[in-house]
Amino acid sequence: MTETVTGQVAGVHHRRVGDITVTALNDGHQDVAMSTVLGIPPEMAAAMLRAAFRPVPRRTTVNCFAIRSGTRVALIDAGCGPAKPTVGFLAANLAAAGIAPAEVDTVLMTHLHPDHFGGLADAQGTALFPRAELRLHADEYAYWHDDVPMLRVADPVRRQLFFGDARARLAAYRDRTSTFGGGEVFPGVTVVPLPGHTPGHAGFMVTSGGQSLLIWGDIVHVQELQVPRPEVTMAVDVDPAQAQATRRRLFDQVAADRQAIAGMHLHFPAFAHLARDGDGYRLVPDAWSLDLHGDAPG
Ligand SMILES: [Zn+2]
C-alpha cells in the first residue's frame, strides 16, 4: 500500500566546481511582509509576484552552502536556526548530505543577519559547529559590535533580534573567530566584498580547475522583483543606495562574464546564471545534471 506523502526529500543539491564540491543546503523559507520591499510601488510589487505565480506576501527561501575542498569542509552561513516552524532545517540537511557538524572546520559568514547567524549556536549559547573557526569581514564584525548604530534602533525587540542575537551567537565562537578584508579564506575560496546590504556583506568566489562559482550572499532577496528591477531594495539594507549600486555593478559583471552564481535567497537549489534582458536581467536556473556539473558552455 502506498503511504501518504507528507514532506520533501532532503533539501540537498551538489554542484562540482573543478575539484571542489559545493552543496546547497536548504534551511526552509520565510513569508515576509511586503512593507519590507522598497523602491517600487507596493501594488506593482504584488502584481509582479502574482504574475510570477508566487505568494503575496513574499516567500523567501533560505539556503546555506557546504564546500568540500580536499579533506576540508567549510559551511557558508548557518541559516535561521529553529526560529519558526518553516526554518531551521540546515542541521537535518547537513546530515542528509553526509556532513557531521564536527567535520565543518570553517564557517564563512556572508553577513550577520538573523537568517544567516541563527543556526550558529543553540539558545544556551553552545556552538553547533564545535571545531569550526568562524570567519567574517572585519567591517561586519565591527558594525554589529558598535553601540552607536545599535542605540539608533528604537525598538528594543528589533535591537535584540539584530544586534543582541548577533553578538550572542558570535560569542559562542569567541576564541576561534577571525576577520578578513579580502583574499583567500579557504582553499579555492576568495572573498568578494559586496557592501551595502550590510557594511561587511561579502560574497565568496569558488575557483578550481578552470571553473568558478560566485556565491553572492544577499545580492537578491526576491528574485521575481530584483532581477528585472535591480533598483528594488529591502528595509533591512543598512545602506540601500550602496546596496543598489553594488547589485547593479555585480549584475553587469556576472552577466558580461557569464559567471555561474548561487545565492542565499534564490529558489533552491539556487545555482543559476544571469542574462541581460532589456533594461533589466533574467535569471536562468542551472539544468539538472547527473554528473554534478552545471556550467553553461562558454
Ligand atoms: Zn538574508
Side-chain angles (χ1 to χ4, degrees):
M1 201 177 90
T2 57
E3 288 178 27
T4 304
V5 174
T6 57
Q8 298 288 5
V9 294
V12 172
H13 187 88
H14 307 293
R15 188 192 191 287
R16 210 91 79 192
V17 181
D19 295 329
I20 294 176
T21 301
V22 178
T23 302
L25 301 161
N26 189 251
D27 189 54
H29 65 78
Q30 305 196 82
D31 290 336
V32 187
M34 293 303 288
S35 57
T36 59
V37 177
L38 306 177
I40 183 172
E43 61 277 12
M44 183 180 290
M48 287 173 74
L49 287 176
R50 287 197 192 95
F53 303 98
R54 302 300 184 204
V56 178
R58 68 178 171 104
R59 173 161 292 182
T60 292
T61 197
V62 180
N63 301 301
C64 308
F65 296 89
I67 298 182
R68 290 185 245 215
S69 181
T71 59
R72 298 188 53 186
V73 181
L75 178 67
I76 303 183
D77 290 352
C80 299
K84 53 185 94 164
T86 60
V87 295
F89 298 97
L90 169 64
N93 285 324
L94 200 60
I99 300 172
E103 285 180 90
V104 176
D105 65 70
T106 305
V107 176
L108 302 170
M109 298 300 296
T110 61
H111 65 299
L112 295 181
H113 270 160
D115 52 326
H116 303 257
F117 66 59
L120 284 174
D122 65 16
Q124 288 73 45
T126 304
L128 295 176
F129 302 99
R131 289 183 51 249
E133 179 184 1
L134 186 77
R135 308 210 65 193
L136 72 167
H137 197 287
D139 293 347
E140 193 68 7
Y141 185 93
Y143 179 77
W144 299 103
H145 287 82
D146 184 349
D147 288 347
V148 174
M150 181 177 77
L151 294 172
R152 275 202 298 262
V153 180
D155 177 2
V157 174
R158 204 171 164 77
R159 194 187 302 149
Q160 176 61 35
L161 183 66
F162 283 84
F163 286 86
D165 286 358
R167 294 177 186 194
R169 293 306 200 292
L170 256 62
Y173 296 81
R174 189 182 288 114
D175 303 326
R176 44 199 169 100
T177 298
S178 62
T179 60
F180 53 70
E184 189 173 50
V185 288
F186 189 77
V189 180
T190 53
V191 175
V192 180
L194 299 169
H197 178 51
T198 62
H201 179 246
F204 298 99
M205 184 71 85
V206 181
T207 308
S208 173
Q211 297 185 318
S212 65
L213 171 76
L214 173 64
I215 297 174
W216 72 15
D218 279 17
I219 282 294
V220 166
H221 290 80
V222 190
Q223 66 189 56
E224 293 81 9
L225 304 179
Q226 290 175 297
V227 169
R229 298 190 57 161
E231 70 274 19
V232 173
T233 58
M234 294 290 127
V236 288
D237 288 336
V238 172
D239 184 337
Q242 188 183 32
Q244 184 193 142
T246 295
R247 180 165 42 258
R248 285 185 182 282
R249 176 180 56 75
L250 193 70
F251 275 11
D252 191 50
Q253 189 185 325
V254 300
D257 294 351
R258 298 176 67 84
Q259 172 67 57
I261 50 112
M264 277 52 197
H265 300 307
L266 301 182
H267 296 301
F268 184 81
F271 296 112
H273 286 78
L274 195 72
R276 282 197 166 282
D277 189 8
D279 292 338
Y281 297 84
R282 84 193 139 83
L283 201 65
V284 184
D286 275 11
W288 182 267
S289 176
L290 288 175
D291 68 2
L292 310 187
H293 289 273
D295 265 350

